[in-house]
């Protein structure tokens, strides 16, 4: 009887992991240097350094302002050696990355540096709204 209950818990855990992985999206991320104000969302309000601008793919007419995304590096988007670092970072959307933006998410330099080597310039990321 104990084995059946344990098996059920294991299956629930596996399904939960698969569901959360299914909701994560992928795209490119780049970074921008400070100052991070003024921003399209909040003008001159200082929202710290764990911030990001998003491209048209996420902007949705400004409704992205204030959303939080967990972002992790998957691989490099160019020839940079060892571009990714382990772990993830949570950023708040405060800005709009206009046409010509090289990423879905334009991370602050501090946020980018937590998940990737800034010398890489651009990386492929996995992100989901939190």
């Amino acid at each position: 009887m104990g084995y059946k209950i344990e098996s059920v818990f294991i299956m629930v855990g596996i399904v939960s992991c698969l569901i959360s992985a299914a909701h994560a999206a992928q795209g490119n991320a780049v970074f921008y240097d400070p100052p991070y104000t003024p921003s399209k969302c909040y003008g001159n309000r200082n929202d710290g350094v764990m911030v990001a601008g998003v491209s048209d793919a996420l902007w949705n007419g400004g409704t992205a302002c204030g959303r939080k995304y967990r972002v992790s590096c998957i691989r490099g988007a160019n020839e940079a050696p060892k571009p990714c670092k382990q772990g993830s970072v949570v950023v708040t959307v405060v800005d709009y990355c206009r046409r010509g933006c090289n990423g879905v998410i334009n991370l602050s330099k501090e946020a980018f540096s937590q998940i990737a080597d800034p010398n890489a310039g651009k990386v492929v990321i996995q992100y989901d709204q939190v």
Side-chain angles (χ1 to χ4, degrees):
M1 181 78 171
Y3 290 115
K4 287 183 182 179
I5 292 174
E6 187 175 294
S7 297
V8 169
F9 284 122
I10 290 171
M11 288 303 294
V12 168
I14 291 171
V15 169
S16 296
C17 288
L18 291 173
I19 288 172
S20 33
H23 288 294
Q26 291 184 7
N28 288 333
V30 293
F31 69 89
Y32 63 114
D33 291 312
Y36 304 123
T37 57
S39 69
K40 184 76 170 172
C41 296
Y42 304 114
N44 288 316
R45 186 174 94 185
N46 183 349
D47 288 288
V49 297
M50 292 303 163
V51 294
V54 295
S55 69
D56 288 327
L58 298 174
W59 182 246
N60 196 21
T63 61
C65 290
R67 286 187 186 153
K68 294 187 181 299
Y69 287 94
R70 180 176 313 281
V71 182
S72 57
C73 182
I74 297 174
R75 66 182 176 278
N78 53 39
E79 299 299 317
K82 299 184 182 181
C84 292
K85 296 179 181 177
Q86 292 211 350
S88 63
V89 64
V90 174
V91 294
T92 303
V93 175
V94 299
D95 217 343
Y96 174 59
C97 190
R98 290 172 184 72
R99 230 170 251 240
C101 185
N102 289 318
V104 172
I105 298 180
N106 190 9
L107 298 167
S108 66
K109 187 171 187 176
E110 291 83 354
F112 190 93
S113 296
Q114 295 247 335
I115 62 164
D117 179 354
N119 292 322
K122 183 194 307 189
V123 293
V124 179
I125 56 162
Q126 177 174 302
Y127 61 95
D128 54 357
Q129 191 174 343
V130 292

